[in-house]
């Protein structure tokens, strides 16, 4: 599967996960914004770090991080696809969806090969949603699972489960779907930190990448 095949579906789900109408927007934006949080992140070598959220994680060795421009383009494409797929919503619901998307940012993405080269069969993505009201991990994951299942080709292969990385609790679920004649799997993990939903999505079409991505998730480190 080429990246051109993998990317559109990945980001449709990536953004749909953040657009579950779970967190209505209060009057006035909480600071810092999702954009400011995203801009406080930095990828150096294989290490991604984010100062405002206080976490670091390693991408698989030799993988390639997307540039900011590539992330912005992917975010825009996914945003437009999600909005188009929700054309039957009421005006109020559409407005809520738009605000939810506006509170969502891509933090980083990485693939085995540089963007544009054929043969990519996996992508490792991280994003955030700036929450406007309090929620729980399970409620957030449940709402996102419901949203994902609105796509007919998606099925749950592992229902919502808890997992801990270096003392921090996450909630996750796993899916399988078909596209362009291929089968690919996604793992979604989310934690809530400093009024922000921090989520990781791994998309895999080739089994050889399973261990690499599992290892990367285990490298998550959180500061105080």
């Amino acid at each position: 599967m080429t990246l051109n095949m993998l990317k559109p579906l990945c980001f449709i789900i990536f953004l749909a996960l953040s657009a579950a109408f779970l967190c209505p927007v209060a009057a006035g934006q909480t600071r810092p914004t999702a954009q400011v949080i995203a801009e406080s992140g930095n990828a150096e070598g294989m290490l991604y770090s984010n100062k405002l959220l206080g976490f670091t994680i390693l991408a698989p060795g030799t993988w390639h991080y997307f540039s900011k421009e590539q992330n912005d383009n992917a975010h825009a494409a996914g945003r437009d696809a999600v909005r188009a797929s929700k054309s039957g919503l009421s005006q109020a619901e559409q407005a809520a969806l738009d605000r939810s998307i506006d509170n969502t940012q891509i933090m980083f993405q990485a693939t085995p090969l540089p963007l544009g080269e054929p043969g990519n069969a996996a992508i490792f993505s991280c994003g955030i949603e700036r929450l406007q009201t309090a929620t729980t991990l399970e409620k957030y994951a449940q709402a996102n699972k419901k949203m994902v299942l609105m796509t007919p080709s998606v099925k749950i292969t592992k229902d919502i489960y808890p997992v801990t990385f270096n003392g921090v609790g996450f909630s996750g679920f796993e899916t399988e779907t078909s596209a362009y004649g291929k089968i690919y799997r996604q793992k979604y993990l989310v934690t809530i930190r400093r009024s922000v939903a921090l989520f990781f999505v791994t998309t895999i079409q080739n089994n050889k990448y399973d261990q690499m991505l599992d290892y990367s998730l285990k490298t998550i480190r959180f500061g105080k």
Side-chain angles (χ1 to χ4, degrees):
M1 178 181 288
T2 67
L3 182 60
N4 286 338
M5 291 181 178
L6 184 64
K7 183 175 68 175
L9 287 163
C10 178
F11 290 115
I12 287 171
I13 295 176
F14 184 79
L15 284 168
L17 287 169
S18 68
F21 309 118
L22 183 66
C23 307
V25 175
Q29 290 290 326
T30 305
R31 296 291 187 241
T33 65
Q35 182 176 348
V36 169
I37 294 171
E39 290 174 351
S40 75
N42 180 61
E44 185 173 346
M46 292 294 97
L47 181 68
Y48 174 85
S49 59
N50 188 280
K51 293 181 180 179
L52 287 179
L53 291 186
F55 82 95
T56 62
I57 189 169
L58 290 168
T62 74
W63 280 37
H64 300 265
Y65 281 110
F66 286 23
S67 68
K68 181 181 185 303
E69 181 181 4
Q70 291 164 342
N71 282 336
D72 289 345
N73 290 340
H75 186 276
R79 176 197 62 210
D80 292 345
V82 171
R83 284 174 172 160
S85 70
K86 305 299 181 290
S87 57
L89 296 176
S90 69
Q91 187 174 6
E93 289 172 330
Q94 189 70 54
L97 174 61
D98 289 344
R99 288 193 295 267
S100 181
I101 291 175
D102 289 342
N103 280 310
T104 301
Q105 289 287 325
I106 295 173
M107 308 291 275
F108 70 78
Q109 297 171 99
T111 49
L113 301 174
L115 184 65
E117 289 193 17
N120 269 322
I123 187 167
F124 185 29
S125 304
C126 172
I128 58 167
E129 181 179 356
R130 161 58 73 186
L131 302 178
Q132 302 302 304
T133 60
T135 187
T136 66
L137 280 177
E138 185 174 358
K139 287 180 179 179
Y140 193 89
Q142 287 284 359
N144 291 316
K145 185 184 81 169
K146 181 179 179 181
M147 179 69 72
V148 167
L149 288 175
M150 291 175 66
T151 301
S153 63
V154 175
K155 64 178 182 180
I156 300 295
T157 56
K158 187 173 182 180
D159 211 341
I160 293 175
Y161 59 90
V163 63
T164 300
F165 294 109
N166 299 299
V168 175
F170 284 74
S171 188
F173 61 88
E174 299 174 23
T175 69
E176 183 178 281
T177 191
S178 60
Y180 307 102
K182 303 286 186 179
I183 301 293
Y184 70 91
R185 295 169 289 113
Q186 287 194 308
K187 178 186 290 186
Y188 169 80
L189 294 167
V190 62
T191 191
I192 295 176
R193 183 169 177 81
R194 300 176 184 176
S195 299
V196 172
L198 170 65
F199 48 91
F200 299 88
V201 182
T202 64
T203 307
I204 304 173
Q205 194 268 318
N206 190 317
N207 291 342
K208 73 178 183 179
Y209 295 115
D210 285 13
Q211 291 186 347
M212 294 182 189
L213 290 170
D214 285 345
Y215 174 79
S216 286
L217 290 168
K218 292 176 183 177
T219 69
I220 299 171
R221 298 288 184 275
F222 292 91
K224 294 181 179 179

